[in-house]
Amino acid sequence: MEEGCMINSNFLGISLFMRCLRMLVRILVLLYLAGAPALAQTLCQPNASNGCRVRISIKTALGNQAYEWNENEMFLFRATMAFAMRRYYKTETYNVDNIIMCNQTLRVSFWFVVTSPENSTMLIPKADVEKAVRMSRHRINNAFLLTDRTLEFLGIHPTLAAPVNPDTPPWLIVFGVVIGAVFAGIIALLVSSLLQKRRKEKGMMEDGQDEEDRQMKGVENDNVLDGIYNRGFTDDDRFTKL
Amino acid sequence: MPEEGMEDNKGREERPKWNNKAEYLLTCIGFAVGVGNVWRFPYLCQIYGGGAFLIPYLIALVFQGLPLLYLELAIGQRLRMGSIGVWNSISPYLGGVGVASMVVSFCVSLFYNTIVAWVLWYLFNSFQDPLPWSQCPLNHNNTGYVKECVESTPVNYFWYRQTLNITPNMETSGSLQWWLVVSLATAWSIIYICFIRGIETIGKAVYVTATFPYLVLTIFLVRALTLPGSSEGLIYLFTPDWEILKNPQVWLDAATQIFFSLSVAFGGLISFSSYNSQKNNCERDAVLVGVINSATSIYASIPIFAILGFKAHTNYVTCLNGNILALTNEFDISDMNITVENYEQWFDSLNGTHPSRVSDLNLKTCDLQTFLDQSASGTGLAFIVFTEAVISMPGSQVWAVLFFIMLFSLGLSSMFGNLEGILTPLHDLKLVPKWMPNELFTAIICLVLFLMALIFCLGSGNYWLEIFNSYVGSVPFLIIAFFEIIAVAYIYGIGRFSDDLEFMTGHRPNIFWKVCWLVISPLMLFVVLVAYVAVQAQTHPTYAAWNPDYVNFPDTEVLPYPDWVFAICVLLSSVPVISIPLVAIYRLICCMSGRHSKGSLHNDPNPYVNEGYVVES
């Protein structure tokens, strides 16, 4: 009987220990859970060295169709940033929890930091975050229907659009068309003048006797001065002072 | 030009004539209505008190412009020769007036077609999206925009760098800009094709070039009146400031504007009217051309100023939006809470509560009046101010193309008159060899003008063009016109002239014309000439240089002309008119030596000056 009691008391001790341990773990977990946001808060500070400020102007971009900035939009932002980090590092370890935001204002603007998936107290350096944002900037903009100007990552300048360099400058094309038409016109007119002249010369040789007739014709048509203006015959009797 | 088939045995050629009256009128109107009507008159209206400027302008038109215009059209039509022949006929001693007209037309053709070439360059570049003057180009390593463009504006950069490639001062000549040479060649080719068959082809061309600008102006008028801010521009333009009439400079500018606008003293109008039949009512033509020219100026200023008002409004809103963004970002105010309308209240309240933060932002003062005051005339209006306005209009390319085609038409129709003032006297002087067909002669003249105009395609070309514009295109004309009116009114005799007019129009000129020709117009011309020279002589001439290294860049640097350039300016003003005394002296000498021999001065008998009847006392 004595052995049964001994075993019983041993069992009691172990179960008590287990319960204590479990309670401790629960307390620790509770503490951790309670402390985690506080910890996260200390990670995300305005003007933190590894933090990035974002400024959003929804009404400027969308006018009447502006949506309201609320918790859901914040969630989308965190998801988009996690996506950008994943794309940059080519891993699948980043999650929404790794993006921590703080200091939101009415403007809408806020700060965010990115924690490493392995160690939640370690922040990803700002330079890497910048590169990740640059790589996926277009996707981030489109997720919010915004542009580089209305979704600003302060400190990350948008890459300037590469200039479109057509092979031939457009003005040369227009110039080519115009000058081609002009030269074609010049040649056409010159050739037609030449042909007209040749025809006239042939005509002149044939009907040189018709000169008088033509001058007579000129007299019949009052308005058409086919004759040759002979200034010796101006009716200026009144001008001579003789 | 005369068909060779009509030559008779004596070699006399029939003078070409207009197909119909409309072609003649359109050509004269096109010659008178030029780019100055669009970019000089509205500017003068603006700086000289809007509606009040119309008073000196219309007075100058009635008492100075119309009499001169009537005079030129009449003598050309009566004597049926170009400017040299006409003045030789009136008085051999004043043949120099014709030569001066021709030389001045030659010089003006040089630089005027360069302006047309610039318009063509802008026209070619308007067929792109986005317009090249709407944004700055990137620099070499694509890290940012070109510094010169950022410091000034994209529009300024495109004009000064990508078009002119201007040098910092006149001494630096720079090199030939090939794209300008190409544009200039295009301009001269188009002129040549219009001149190939003389007034036959010109008459066809003016149906388009003289009427198209009115169409475009109307389109712009309708468009401009629907743009925001246009009414402010129009109010600004037409608000009369009657005090300005006390300033003599206003009267001087009105007289010179009317004078240059009507394109008298070029010789072109004389040439055009010489192709008319003698029995043509040139009085009605003169009044018509003069009135239409002034009406066009006034009509053109309406859309121009509506659009300038729109541009000022746009600049004002942009300035305010910049300030609003700065305030919104600094104080983290909700987006779009501050608008253009409530900006003042927000600013006052923020400045009251946080004055230091507000002042640190360095906000710009945005005043609509300041933007409206940014006026420009000449090439500045067309290529800087207007192009900037066009960018903000929806469908920019269409408006840019329309605007530049309009300027091109205006310039082209004026060039017809300029070139006619050179070609017709040369033909009448029988300087053209018999074997040379007219097409070839015209081509040679165009080629010579093109080669000489290449100086305006250098880096410093714009500075030279300004010199030509100011010194050739001003004083020589006044002198020539003065001698013209003295020659006809006093030397030819107003009585003889009235008889001519009765022959042509069917009635004698009424007292108004006679008084103007005898007294008012010569007096006004003389006063304007003296005043103009006096005003110019008071200040040592300077020019505005575009220098990116200047301390106050983007303001232009005001530099004085170097001495050698100033000497050239004086030469440009005096050489064209030096022919007037020179020819007079030459004829005097010839006459004195010719009295002993009975040699005739002219090849063809002139019914008015027949040496056989000189009374030798």
Side-chain angles (χ1 to χ4, degrees):
Chain A
M1 286 305 231
E2 279 174 359
E3 286 129 5
C5 281
M6 274 290 277
I7 294 169
N8 273 349
S9 68
N10 276 349
F11 271 146
L12 265 171
I14 289 172
S15 68
L16 194 65
F17 177 67
M18 290 304 290
R19 279 166 77 194
C20 284
L21 200 62
R22 248 176 274 150
M23 207 182 293
L24 196 64
V25 165
R26 261 192 230 123
I27 290 172
L28 275 174
V29 166
L30 270 171
L31 265 176
Y32 175 73
L33 280 175
L39 192 66
Q41 280 305 313
T42 54
L43 283 174
C44 174
Q45 295 268 7
N47 300 319
S49 56
N50 283 328
C52 198
R53 187 160 182 220
V54 177
R55 196 152 59 196
I56 300 185
S57 318
I58 310 176
K59 285 209 194 101
T60 313
L62 300 171
N64 284 340
Q65 294 157 347
Y67 50 80
E68 197 198 313
W69 188 259
N70 51 24
E71 283 301 317
N72 298 335
E73 307 290 342
M74 295 279 271
F75 182 79
L76 178 60
F77 183 81
R78 293 164 74 194
T80 320
M81 282 311 302
F83 163 75
M85 299 305 294
R86 283 193 182 192
R87 252 185 110 205
Y88 179 64
Y89 280 115
K90 297 191 180 51
T91 69
E92 289 173 11
T93 50
Y94 280 89
N95 224 321
V96 181
D97 300 327
N98 295 117
I99 318 291
I100 308 170
M101 328 226 311
C102 57
N103 227 43
Q104 190 180 339
T105 66
L106 276 177
R107 167 67 181 82
V108 173
S109 76
F110 49 83
W111 287 83
F112 75 93
V113 293
V114 182
T115 58
S116 161
E118 289 91 33
N119 181 354
S120 56
T121 53
M122 198 180 79
L123 295 180
I124 306 289
K126 187 164 177 179
D128 292 331
V129 175
E130 268 183 37
K131 286 188 200 139
V133 166
R134 273 225 178 86
M135 194 166 124
S136 309
R137 187 67 187 263
H138 188 62
R139 301 291 299 273
I140 302 174
N141 285 350
N142 275 347
F144 292 94
L145 306 173
L146 298 172
T147 66
D148 280 352
R149 231 175 28 92
T150 40
L151 170 58
E152 293 171 81
F153 288 86
L154 296 184
I156 305 179
H157 297 292
T159 48
L160 301 163
V164 178
N165 265 338
D167 293 328
T168 44
W171 75 267
L172 263 182
I173 300 173
V174 182
F175 158 72
V177 168
V178 169
I179 203 86
V182 168
F183 275 144
I186 290 178
I187 292 172
L189 281 171
L190 284 176
V191 161
S192 78
S193 301
L194 215 63
L195 288 176
Q196 250 182 3
K197 241 185 274 181
R198 289 235 185 94
R199 244 180 273 137
K200 281 263 159 58
E201 275 171 20
K202 276 195 202 151
M204 270 287 285
M205 289 196 296
E206 282 167 13
D207 50 17
Q209 290 102 20
D210 294 335
E211 273 278 292
E212 280 181 11
D213 294 338
R214 281 160 107 211
Q215 280 185 345
M216 294 288 280
K217 272 192 201 146
V219 170
E220 286 171 28
N221 305 329
D222 290 326
N223 293 329
V224 178
L225 300 172
D226 271 332
I228 294 159
Y229 183 60
N230 186 341
R231 287 168 64 235
F233 284 98
T234 50
D235 58 331
D236 54 355
D237 293 327
R238 27 201 179 123
F239 298 121
T240 51
K241 293 199 172 95
L242 293 175
Chain B
M1 281 322 202
E3 303 150 291
E4 261 67 6
M6 291 295 281
E7 277 191 36
D8 64 6
N9 298 331
K10 290 179 192 147
R12 288 286 183 107
E13 295 172 1
E14 181 205 79
R15 194 167 188 80
K17 55 185 179 8
W18 298 104
N19 267 340
N20 53 48
K21 185 80 182 283
E23 282 184 15
Y24 164 62
L25 277 178
L26 281 177
T27 311
C28 288
I29 291 171
F31 182 31
V33 173
V35 287
N37 294 64
V38 166
W39 74 32
R40 178 97 180 125
F41 176 80
Y43 167 75
L44 287 177
C45 240
Q46 179 194 350
I47 62 170
Y48 286 135
F53 180 70
L54 289 177
I55 294 180
Y57 183 73
L58 290 173
I59 290 178
L61 171 70
V62 166
F63 289 108
Q64 186 190 333
L66 289 181
L68 271 170
L69 196 55
Y70 187 14
L71 189 132
E72 283 215 351
L73 291 182
I75 56 175
Q77 192 173 295
R78 185 73 182 105
L79 299 172
R80 307 207 89 215
M81 281 197 287
S83 58
I84 292 188
V86 149
W87 298 113
N88 270 338
S89 305
I90 288 187
S91 161
Y93 298 108
L94 282 178
V97 175
V99 175
S101 271
M102 191 177 79
V103 172
V104 153
S105 280
F106 188 88
C107 294
V108 169
S109 300
L110 280 178
F111 74 81
Y112 203 89
N113 218 25
T114 311
I115 298 179
V116 174
W118 290 339
V119 170
L120 271 181
W121 162 255
Y122 266 80
L123 177 63
F124 293 156
N125 274 294
S126 303
F127 289 95
Q128 314 179 25
D129 180 34
L131 289 171
W133 55 81
S134 61
Q135 57 197 32
C136 282
L138 298 177
N139 59 18
H140 297 296
N141 36 13
N142 284 6
T143 52
Y145 297 114
V146 173
K147 178 164 160 278
E148 188 182 344
C149 185
V150 170
E151 285 174 6
S152 57
T153 61
V155 175
N156 274 325
Y157 180 75
F158 184 76
W159 168 237
Y160 284 111
R161 190 54 52 210
Q162 289 178 303
T163 303
L164 299 175
N165 200 9
I166 207 163
T167 53
N169 52 41
M170 274 195 88
E171 288 92 346
T172 334
S173 287
S175 56
L176 273 180
Q177 315 302 325
W178 67 269
W179 55 91
L180 287 182
V181 173
V182 152
S183 304
L184 191 65
T186 316
W188 278 112
S189 309
I190 296 179
I191 298 269
Y192 176 60
I193 195 179
C194 292
F195 257 88
I196 269 189
R197 291 218 191 126
I199 61 171
E200 192 185 318
T201 38
I202 293 176
K204 302 285 180 298
V206 287
Y207 279 120
V208 173
T209 60
T211 53
F212 190 70
Y214 293 97
L215 179 67
V216 174
L217 280 174
T218 312
I219 295 176
F220 266 107
L221 180 67
V222 173
R223 168 78 265 209
L225 289 177
T226 58
L227 290 171
S230 58
S231 47
E232 275 117 16
L234 285 176
I235 294 170
Y236 184 68
L237 167 69
F238 284 119
T239 313
D241 174 18
W242 305 106
E243 291 297 310
I244 211 94
L245 293 177
K246 295 180 190 160
N247 181 2
Q249 180 77 20
V250 179
W251 296 88
L252 178 64
D253 274 337
T256 47
Q257 170 62 17
I258 261 295
F259 183 72
F260 300 137
S261 178
L262 283 174
S263 310
V264 292
F266 275 77
L269 286 170
I270 301 180
S271 304
F272 286 141
S273 63
S274 72
Y275 300 124
N276 270 335
S277 69
Q278 291 213 327
K279 297 278 190 184
N280 173 47
N281 190 350
C282 49
E283 177 181 12
R284 211 177 43 198
D285 297 341
V287 172
L288 204 63
V289 170
V291 165
I292 289 182
N293 179 52
S294 295
T296 308
S297 291
I298 298 173
Y299 184 60
S301 55
I302 302 177
I304 295 282
F305 264 87
I307 291 181
L308 289 183
F310 161 71
K311 173 182 169 294
H313 178 86
T314 312
N315 286 354
Y316 172 68
V317 167
T318 311
C319 176
L320 269 188
N321 277 338
N323 285 356
I324 289 174
L325 193 65
L327 281 177
T328 313
N329 286 345
E330 171 68 20
F331 293 100
D332 281 324
I333 304 164
S334 184
D335 189 28
M336 294 288 263
N337 259 10
I338 313 182
T339 61
V340 175
E341 286 83 21
N342 59 20
Y343 171 75
E344 283 298 323
Q345 294 124 297
W346 271 101
F347 180 74
D348 290 332
S349 75
L350 286 173
N351 206 14
T353 47
H354 311 275
S356 56
R357 282 171 76 186
V358 170
S359 63
D360 281 340
L361 287 175
N362 287 332
L363 297 177
K364 293 185 257 190
T365 40
C366 299
D367 179 25
L368 184 61
Q369 202 59 30
T370 323
F371 289 115
L372 281 172
D373 281 335
Q374 284 171 351
S375 57
S377 77
T379 52
L381 175 74
F383 300 126
I384 299 181
V385 171
F386 209 83
T387 43
E388 194 180 324
V390 154
I391 304 174
S392 325
M393 291 160 74
S396 317
Q397 282 78 11
V398 172
W399 305 112
V401 166
L402 273 179
F403 179 66
F404 289 118
I405 291 187
M406 175 186 80
L407 283 185
F408 177 67
S409 306
L410 289 169
L412 194 68
S413 53
S414 295
M415 273 303 295
F416 292 157
N418 289 337
L419 204 57
E420 191 66 28
I422 306 172
L423 289 176
T424 312
L426 288 176
H427 274 289
D428 291 333
L429 275 182
K430 309 249 185 288
L431 284 177
V432 188
K434 283 276 184 283
W435 52 267
M436 192 184 282
N438 285 319
E439 289 88 348
L440 183 59
F441 179 63
T442 314
I444 291 177
I445 296 285
C446 285
L447 188 66
V448 166
L449 284 166
F450 166 66
L451 290 173
M452 287 181 71
L454 286 177
I455 49 165
F456 300 118
C457 297
L458 293 170
S460 54
N462 190 36
Y463 302 132
W464 285 108
L465 196 135
E466 285 299 316
I467 286 183
F468 267 71
N469 193 16
S470 314
Y471 290 98
V472 171
S474 59
V475 171
F477 284 121
L478 291 169
I479 297 178
I480 293 171
F482 180 70
F483 276 101
E484 280 188 4
I485 212 165
I486 296 290
V488 171
Y490 294 102
I491 299 180
Y492 188 70
I494 204 80
R496 263 207 302 185
F497 191 52
S498 304
D499 295 335
D500 282 332
L501 289 173
E502 191 182 3
F503 170 68
M504 288 195 291
T505 64
H507 59 267
R508 294 185 80 81
N510 61 35
I511 191 73
F512 165 73
W513 295 116
K514 286 194 185 151
V515 167
C516 279
W517 287 323
L518 281 171
V519 177
I520 301 182
S521 298
L523 195 63
M524 274 183 84
L525 269 175
F526 185 71
V527 167
V528 166
L529 175 63
V530 166
Y532 194 88
V533 172
V535 165
Q536 293 287 82
Q538 270 174 3
T539 56
H540 188 76
T542 55
Y543 66 103
W546 181 264
N547 185 4
D549 299 323
Y550 182 48
V551 169
N552 289 344
F553 188 76
D555 289 336
T556 49
E557 188 182 1
V558 176
L559 296 170
Y561 282 128
D563 287 331
W564 60 277
V565 170
F566 190 62
I568 294 181
C569 297
V570 172
L571 272 177
L572 280 174
S573 289
S574 46
V575 161
V577 292
I578 212 114
S579 56
I580 300 179
L582 274 181
V583 168
I585 296 172
Y586 170 73
R587 287 280 155 81
L588 259 173
I589 299 175
C590 268
C591 188
M592 289 206 271
S593 60
R595 275 191 190 175
H596 303 293
S597 66
K598 277 204 174 170
S600 157
L601 287 176
H602 311 286
N603 290 332
D604 43 327
N606 187 326
Y608 297 115
V609 184
N610 187 338
E611 273 73 33
Y613 287 96
V614 168
V615 177
E616 299 183 35
S617 55

